Amino acid sequence: MIVLGIESTCDETSASVVVDGKEVLSNVIATQIKDHAPWAGVVPEIASRLHLVKIVPVIDEALKKADVSLKEIDLVASSNRPGLIGGLMIGVSAAKSIAFSQNKPYIGINHIEAHLYSPHLTCDISFPYIGVLTSGGHTMFVIAKSYTEYEVIGTTIDDAVGEAFDKIAKHYEVGYPGGPVIERLALDGDENAFDFPIANLYKNERQFDVSYSGIKTAVINHLEKYKRKDNYTINDIAASFQRRAFDILYKKVQKAVEKFNIHTVVVAGGVSANKYLRKSFERLTDCKVFFPELRYATDNGAMVAGYAYHKFLTDGPDSLESGVSPRVGGFKISLMPDYKKK
Ligand code: KG4
Ligand code: ZN
């Protein structure tokens, strides 16, 4: 089955052609990073306008690179939630227009689920596994039972991990997006220069929840309180924050591995591009740990097209009248609503 996948939830316009959820024939990404950089964050109006400008050329290029015509596409997919509403509407409208004009099925994809699928594009991973989703808007721990069945066991109760990277970088005016900038700065820093605090969330049914607002505030406003040496640099701040930020994830995953006796771990989302994070997960010696290839870690159409194949086989197409949503319920409680029904 040849699937065209479209991604436009935030600041990347992307289209990809993937066969049977695995064989990526093309994956074209038009990034808006330099357009948002002057504001050190994504400006939704600018994002929407740029998606509008880029969506058709990006789809055209993806088809061309894949050497596939619109008629040969079997399914058209687009991320339809969560994300910036303007971008979502543009991607979904493009997907539906193609589906309608070609008389092909359309499917709307949860962007978070597409991220979790991204390592499957290049690795063979068996179920069940513990999934760790680390993006700019979400931080989530799940038990994945099949491609389309997840149980959410924990989320952030405030900021997402990527958001903490972005806000800290913005505060210190070191560049945007914050994740790659902090990773670079940290290479020349002392990761033990500061002992930034980790919030203690040990309440029974919420034991896998995390918080990033406290550590973010500490790094921005209470630096002096946590320093362990005097002549520190921005590199030391970056390295110390990065170490503690990933300790938060690592500790929860270690706990989940023990509690559920599941020894396969999948880490995905934009933050999973971080090499220090990848290295720090090597400490999970009794587990197989999977990450997406770097090009599939941040937002891309291939993960949408790949996941759409499995979602379509399980649940069938969506109506052309189905909508978009800036948020998705269930990420802060126990089960995603989509799966609760089953
Ligand atoms: O998944 P993604 O591309 O978009 C969302 O769905 O949010 O993730 C973007 C987030 C941003 O917060 C960005 O700073 C972070 O991923 N990020 C990184 C790295 N590359 C991107 N964080 C840490 N280290 C990186 N190398
Ligand atoms: Zn994303």
Side-chain angles (χ1 to χ4, degrees), residues 239-309:
S240 301
F241 161 67
Q242 187 173 252
R243 171 177 65 88
R244 294 295 270 175
F246 295 150
D247 268 354
I248 294 176
L249 295 178
Y250 180 78
K251 283 186 174 147
K252 293 291 173 183
V253 171
Q254 199 181 27
K255 196 168 171 180
V257 166
E258 278 165 24
K259 180 172 166 112
F260 299 106
N261 198 22
I262 294 175
H263 294 262
T264 306
V265 174
V266 170
V267 190
V271 183
S272 74
N274 188 291
K275 297 196 180 65
Y276 183 100
L277 167 71
R278 291 178 178 225
K279 183 119 194 66
S280 68
F281 269 67
E282 283 174 10
R283 287 177 285 167
L284 286 172
T285 46
D286 57 342
C287 287
K288 277 191 178 152
V289 187
F290 295 92
F291 295 92
E293 267 189 13
L294 285 185
R295 63 196 154 141
Y296 302 132
T298 46
D299 293 345
N300 67 88
M303 65 185 190
V304 176
Y307 181 61
Y309 167 73

Side-chain angles (χ1 to χ4, degrees), residues 195-240:
D195 239 343
F196 293 121
I198 294 181
N200 242 339
L201 303 173
Y202 284 136
K203 301 217 183 70
N204 302 325
E205 78 278 13
R206 310 295 300 267
Q207 62 185 299
F208 294 105
D209 283 351
V210 291
S211 161
Y212 277 94
S213 135
I215 186 170
K216 177 193 74 182
T217 308
V219 178
I220 291 175
N221 296 321
H222 305 296
L223 203 57
E224 293 300 307
K225 196 167 149 190
Y226 297 103
K227 69 178 183 179
R228 297 169 95 190
K229 67 175 193 181
D230 280 332
N231 293 321
Y232 56 82
T233 62
I234 184 68
N235 302 79
D236 297 336
I237 299 171
S240 301

Side-chain angles (χ1 to χ4, degrees), residues 7 9-10 12 111-112 115 133-137 269-270 297-300 303:
E7 160 60 35
T9 54
C10 191
E12 257 104 32
H111 176 79
I112 302 299
H115 268 303
L133 189 280
T134 63
S135 77
T298 46
D299 293 345
N300 67 88
M303 65 185 190

Side-chain angles (χ1 to χ4, degrees), residues 59-271:
I59 293 171
D60 271 347
E61 196 183 332
L63 292 169
K64 207 182 225 169
K65 281 198 167 146
D67 197 18
V68 160
S69 71
L70 271 186
K71 291 201 173 358
E72 291 171 290
I73 298 288
D74 299 307
L75 172 68
V76 192
S78 183
S79 293
N80 70 350
R81 66 200 192 281
L84 298 173
I85 198 80
L88 288 170
M89 284 166 66
I90 290 158
V92 164
S93 301
K96 286 179 180 174
S97 310
I98 294 170
F100 180 72
S101 65
Q102 302 298 316
N103 201 20
K104 298 289 163 71
Y106 156 79
I107 188 163
I109 291 298
N110 179 332
H111 176 79
I112 302 299
E113 294 172 14
H115 268 303
L116 273 173
Y117 182 78
S118 60
H120 289 274
L121 287 167
T122 47
C123 309
D124 289 321
I125 309 169
S126 50
F127 297 97
Y129 61 73
I130 292 166
V132 188
L133 189 280
T134 63
S135 77
H138 296 86
T139 306
M140 241 169 72
F141 303 93
V142 304
I143 295 176
K145 297 168 183 172
S146 72
Y147 289 113
T148 56
E149 283 177 296
Y150 302 90
E151 187 180 340
V152 179
I153 56 169
T155 71
T156 176
I157 59 165
D158 39 54
D159 295 346
V161 54
E163 193 179 345
F165 274 85
D166 295 337
K167 295 278 165 60
I168 289 168
K170 181 173 182 173
H171 173 81
Y172 287 104
E173 297 182 349
V174 289
Y176 159 85
V181 175
I182 288 182
E183 179 175 16
R184 236 175 2 256
L185 289 172
L187 290 175
D188 298 317
D190 171 5
E191 65 178 32
N192 295 308
F194 294 85
D195 239 343
F196 293 121
I198 294 181
N200 242 339
L201 303 173
Y202 284 136
K203 301 217 183 70
N204 302 325
E205 78 278 13
R206 310 295 300 267
Q207 62 185 299
F208 294 105
D209 283 351
V210 291
S211 161
Y212 277 94
S213 135
I215 186 170
K216 177 193 74 182
T217 308
V219 178
I220 291 175
N221 296 321
H222 305 296
L223 203 57
E224 293 300 307
K225 196 167 149 190
Y226 297 103
K227 69 178 183 179
R228 297 169 95 190
K229 67 175 193 181
D230 280 332
N231 293 321
Y232 56 82
T233 62
I234 184 68
N235 302 79
D236 297 336
I237 299 171
S240 301
F241 161 67
Q242 187 173 252
R243 171 177 65 88
R244 294 295 270 175
F246 295 150
D247 268 354
I248 294 176
L249 295 178
Y250 180 78
K251 283 186 174 147
K252 293 291 173 183
V253 171
Q254 199 181 27
K255 196 168 171 180
V257 166
E258 278 165 24
K259 180 172 166 112
F260 299 106
N261 198 22
I262 294 175
H263 294 262
T264 306
V265 174
V266 170
V267 190
V271 183

